[in-house]
């Protein structure tokens, strides 16, 4: 009886849309006004202490294990929780101090490989042909297909640098290489990419050889902190600082500054929380070990401490929501293949992860920002207005 009372109290105030809840005893209730389009089915009681200790971990694992079923949109359900001021997500008695995380070079390599070395064949199933695993840039609203939007993002980043032919670029966390190889092939830059993922390194190495870019591009399988005294005219880094941890964020921007030549330019693209830094225990355990979403003020402070100047900032929050919605649609088109290869629990986990992230961007719980930084006054490096960033490539 105590569990039922707790659940009713928690769920009654947790969403800003009507929700139907069916409990483990088969009885159903509707919370909120109107006809619910989403139903939560508890096949099993989740211990109260697990929920109060860490709701995201307890409920995420319950969904993976089918102790909870959701009929309707997971994305809409989670967005409704984020947008409810009385949600248990925001109840102070459920909040915990941010955990300390290891981000030694050895631990960083293990964290990256646990996520990106699942297998290139897994990501090829549902990413676009560029294998770009970060926020796309939809220049034509919902009319753009994902591949076009990913290439638009890459050109948007490179154009912001105002690059000159023949100069050098470092791509920290180069992924499967589309940005760095586009910079080499279409912008005539000499590029170096670094990754800790063996799978990514192998594929980028092959792409460099296949494209005949051996004299213009290199990829290194090493920690970005180990580049020594090398300097570059430009630095790009997309979806990287979310992996370094709060305690290493200052070192990350110090290294960006160190690797830039005097009057160099960097474009740093990453997930940010305007409300302050945060972790998510379920995502940390199952998706991105060691992940940390830094707060906007925290990032700006670290940029200033590294003696870099901010030339431009741009939010792409709605673009990441759209990207994730397409990824999840693609994922569910090949769901049977994923489940055959990885199992049902893994498949449910990734479906929830993609939809939860889309909801988080949709609600404004998290944002994604592009920071255009200069090592020296930007007036010496960049045009007076932002028009140059928008030229079609």
């Amino acid at each position: 009886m105590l569990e039922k009372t707790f659940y009713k109290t928690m769920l009654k105030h947790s969403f800003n849309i009507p929700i139907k809840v069916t409990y483990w005893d088969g009885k159903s209730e509707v919370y909120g006004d109107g006809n619910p389009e989403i139903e939560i089915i508890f096949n099993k009681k989740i211990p109260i202490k697990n929920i109060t200790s860490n709701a995201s971990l307890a409920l995420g694992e319950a969904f993976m294990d089918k102790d909870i079923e959701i009929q309707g949109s997971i994305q809409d359900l989670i967005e409704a929780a984020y947008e409810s001021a009385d949600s248990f997500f925001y109840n102070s008695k459920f909040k915990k101090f941010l955990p300390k995380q290891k981000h030694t070079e050895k631990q960083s390599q293990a964290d990256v490989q646990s996520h990106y070395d699942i297998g290139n064949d897994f990501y090829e199933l549902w990413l676009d042909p560029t294998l770009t695993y970060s926020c796309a840039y939809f220049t034509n609203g919902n009319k753009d297909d994902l591949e076009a939007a990913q290439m638009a993002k890459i050109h948007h980043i490179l154009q912001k640098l105002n690059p000159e032919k023949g100069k050098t670029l470092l791509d920290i966390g180069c992924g499967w290489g589309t940005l760095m190889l586009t910079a080499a092939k279409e912008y005539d830059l000499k590029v170096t990419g670094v990754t800790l993922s063996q799978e990514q390194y192998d594929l980028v190495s092959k792409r460099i050889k296949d494209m005949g870019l051996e004299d213009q591009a290199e990829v290194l399988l090493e920690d970005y902190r180990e580049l020594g005294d090398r300097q570059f005219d430009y630095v790009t880094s997309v979806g990287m600082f979310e992996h370094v941890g709060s305690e290493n964020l200052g070192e990350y921007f110090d290294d960006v500054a160190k690797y830039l030549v005097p009057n160099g330019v960097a474009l740093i693209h990453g997930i940010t929380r305007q409300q302050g830094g945060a972790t998510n225990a379920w995502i940390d355990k199952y998706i991105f070990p060691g992940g940390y979403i830094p707060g906007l003020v925290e990032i700006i402070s670290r940029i200033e401490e590294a003696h870099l100047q901010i030339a431009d900032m741009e939010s792409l929050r709605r673009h990441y929501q759209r990207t994730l919605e397409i990824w999840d649609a693609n994922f569910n088109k090949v769901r049977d293949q994923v489940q055959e290869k990885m199992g049902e629990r893994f498949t449910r986990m990734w479906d929830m992860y993609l939809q939860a992230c889309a909801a988080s961007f949709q609600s404004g719980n998290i944002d994604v920002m592009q920071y255009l930084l200069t090592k020296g006054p930007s007036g010496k490096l960049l045009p007076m207005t932002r028009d140059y960033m928008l030229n079609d490539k």
Side-chain angles (χ1 to χ4, degrees):
M1 188 65 181
L2 178 62
E3 287 95 342
K4 195 78 167 286
T5 301
F6 169 81
Y7 273 80
K8 287 182 178 182
T9 302
M10 176 182 72
L11 295 168
K12 183 177 181 179
H13 300 287
S14 287
F15 307 99
N16 67 351
I17 59 175
I19 298 293
K20 180 180 178 181
V21 178
T22 298
Y23 290 101
W24 48 88
D25 58 7
K27 295 181 180 179
S28 298
E29 294 194 30
V30 173
Y31 303 111
D33 298 327
N35 295 319
E37 296 183 359
I38 299 174
E39 179 181 6
I40 303 172
I41 302 169
F42 286 92
N43 296 321
K44 180 180 178 181
K45 287 186 288 188
I46 314 303
I48 293 175
K49 65 178 182 179
N50 292 357
I51 297 175
T52 56
S53 175
N54 199 301
S56 68
L57 181 60
L59 297 176
E61 289 182 333
F63 180 81
M64 292 164 61
D65 294 331
K66 300 182 76 173
D67 294 337
I68 294 176
E69 300 278 5
I70 297 171
Q71 301 294 330
S73 171
I74 297 172
Q75 179 179 340
D76 290 348
L77 179 69
I78 295 176
E79 181 198 3
Y82 281 130
E83 292 186 348
S84 173
D86 296 324
S87 173
F88 64 91
F89 283 110
Y90 297 115
N91 192 317
S92 61
K93 71 180 180 180
F94 295 132
K95 290 184 178 180
K96 297 290 182 182
F97 292 109
L98 294 177
K100 295 292 184 181
Q101 297 169 307
K102 294 181 180 179
H103 283 91
T104 62
E105 291 178 18
K106 183 177 181 180
Q107 185 62 51
S108 294
Q109 183 175 21
D111 290 344
V112 167
Q113 290 181 351
S114 74
H115 186 84
Y116 294 101
D117 285 353
I118 294 173
N120 289 343
D121 55 346
F122 167 69
Y123 290 101
E124 287 169 349
L125 284 173
W126 52 274
L127 293 180
D128 72 283
T130 71
L131 280 181
T132 304
Y133 187 33
S134 57
C135 173
Y137 183 58
F138 295 88
T139 59
N140 196 25
N142 291 340
K143 296 179 181 178
D144 291 340
D145 66 29
L146 183 57
E147 182 177 5
Q150 289 291 10
M151 290 308 303
K153 185 271 300 293
I154 287 167
H155 289 300
H156 194 48
I157 287 173
L158 293 171
Q159 285 164 198
K160 282 186 175 184
L161 299 173
N162 197 34
E164 296 180 25
K165 292 181 179 181
K167 290 197 171 184
T168 56
L169 179 143
L170 169 66
D171 190 21
I172 299 174
C174 65
W176 287 278
T178 299
L179 188 152
M180 60 174 284
L181 297 177
T182 300
K185 185 176 180 180
E186 299 189 36
Y187 292 79
D188 197 22
L189 297 176
K190 296 181 179 179
V191 300
T192 297
V194 292
T195 180
L196 288 173
S197 164
Q198 184 70 52
E199 293 263 338
Q200 290 179 345
Y201 171 80
D202 292 343
L203 184 60
V204 177
S205 298
K206 182 178 184 302
R207 293 181 72 186
I208 289 172
K209 184 175 180 180
D210 290 346
M211 296 171 70
L213 293 172
E214 293 96 331
D215 295 334
Q216 203 167 343
E218 64 172 346
V219 61
L220 307 175
L221 182 64
E222 63 184 65
D223 194 284
Y224 73 96
R225 292 169 284 192
E226 292 300 309
L227 296 179
D229 296 328
R230 296 185 64 177
Q231 287 192 310
F232 303 82
D233 298 293
Y234 311 108
V235 171
T236 54
S237 188
V238 179
M240 172 64 192
F241 65 57
E242 302 96 311
H243 294 287
V244 306
S246 178
E247 70 277 14
N248 286 337
L249 197 61
E251 180 186 17
Y252 170 82
F253 282 105
D254 286 343
D255 282 338
V256 170
K258 180 180 75 172
Y259 295 140
L260 281 173
V261 300
N263 296 320
V265 184
L267 191 288
I268 310 299
H269 169 125
I271 301 173
T272 306
R273 285 192 86 244
Q274 295 196 26
Q275 306 92 324
T279 61
N280 179 287
W282 181 73
I283 289 178
D284 182 68
K285 182 175 180 178
Y286 290 102
I287 307 293
F288 281 111
Y292 170 75
I293 305 301
L296 181 61
V297 172
E298 183 180 11
I299 288 178
I300 292 174
S301 296
R302 299 298 176 265
I303 290 171
E304 185 274 332
E305 291 166 2
H307 305 293
L308 294 165
Q309 294 198 12
I310 299 175
D312 189 83
M313 289 173 55
E314 182 178 10
S315 168
L316 298 180
R317 179 179 63 82
R318 293 172 64 195
H319 295 264
Y320 217 157
Q321 174 194 338
R322 177 64 179 151
T323 303
L324 282 152
E325 289 169 349
I326 295 175
W327 282 346
D328 191 62
N330 290 348
F331 182 85
N332 276 288
K333 288 176 184 176
V334 296
R335 189 182 184 103
D336 290 346
Q337 295 179 57
V338 174
Q339 187 161 316
E340 183 179 355
K341 176 180 173 61
M342 309 297 289
E344 183 179 12
R345 193 170 190 261
F346 176 93
T347 305
R348 289 172 65 87
M349 176 183 76
W350 266 84
D351 187 21
M352 171 165 272
Y353 159 64
L354 293 171
Q355 291 197 58
C357 288
S360 205
F361 283 109
Q362 186 172 3
S363 66
N365 181 55
I366 54 177
D367 204 336
V368 61
M369 305 287 289
Q370 289 189 347
Y371 305 85
L372 184 63
L373 310 176
T374 60
K375 189 175 179 178
S378 61
K380 296 181 179 180
L381 308 167
L382 302 171
M384 185 79 85
T385 72
R386 303 177 84 250
D387 293 349
Y388 80 96
M389 302 178 185
L390 305 176
N391 293 332
D392 291 333
K393 178 66 180 179

